[in-house]
Amino acid sequence: METDSLLDDIQDINLSYLLLTQRMISEDRTTALFRLKMDDEMADLIASLSIKQLTQLARTNQLLCRLCYDEPEQLRKLTHNQREQGLGQTHAALLMASARNECSSVSSN
């Protein structure tokens, strides 16, 4: 039962991620491409998917999104940051922007 619940949660997250991705692309494409670390071709493909296709894609046992930080030190810098709130958000944005390009894209492996 616990595995079924976990699988349901993964599928819910996948669908939420895909819907958010579509919304971001439609509302502000340039910012979406930057934040999602996605190229134009992938953005066009995701934007063109129907709800049925998104649901089918979401129904996998693997997360479609992944944590952007490859190095534990990057995460430590964000979680143990003593800066003021405003500077902390700027610092987080800079760290995320420097993350690798594959960060949020669906793995082709």
Side-chain angles (χ1 to χ4, degrees):
M1 291 258 194
E2 215 170 288
T3 304
D4 289 339
S5 175
L6 185 60
L7 182 57
D8 288 343
D9 289 345
I10 288 171
Q11 292 174 352
D12 287 345
I13 288 170
N14 284 342
L15 185 56
S16 294
Y17 174 73
L18 290 168
L19 291 170
L20 176 62
T21 299
Q22 266 193 339
R23 184 172 143 214
M24 290 171 67
I25 292 167
S26 71
E27 289 179 7
D28 186 349
R29 185 181 181 89
T30 303
T31 302
L33 294 178
F34 174 76
R35 287 185 174 167
L36 296 168
K37 309 275 188 265
M38 184 179 291
D39 64 19
D40 281 314
E41 186 177 0
M42 181 63 79
D44 289 340
L45 179 58
I46 291 175
S48 71
L49 296 175
S50 68
I51 294 296
K52 182 179 179 182
Q53 290 170 315
L54 291 175
T55 303
Q56 288 172 336
L57 187 55
R59 294 212 171 279
T60 180
N61 63 353
Q62 298 292 316
L63 284 171
L64 297 177
C65 58
R66 73 179 185 96
L67 194 59
C68 286
Y69 308 106
D70 293 327
E71 301 295 325
E73 187 57 33
Q74 291 175 315
L75 196 55
R76 273 190 212 97
K77 286 178 183 178
L78 288 174
T79 58
H80 296 92
N81 189 355
Q82 299 300 318
R83 299 170 190 208
E84 293 295 320
Q85 181 66 22
L87 290 176
Q89 290 174 348
T90 301
H91 186 239
L94 290 171
L95 283 174
M96 287 189 287
S98 68
R100 293 185 188 177
N101 264 349
E102 310 88 47
C103 185
S104 291
S105 62
V106 176
S107 175
S108 60
N109 294 334

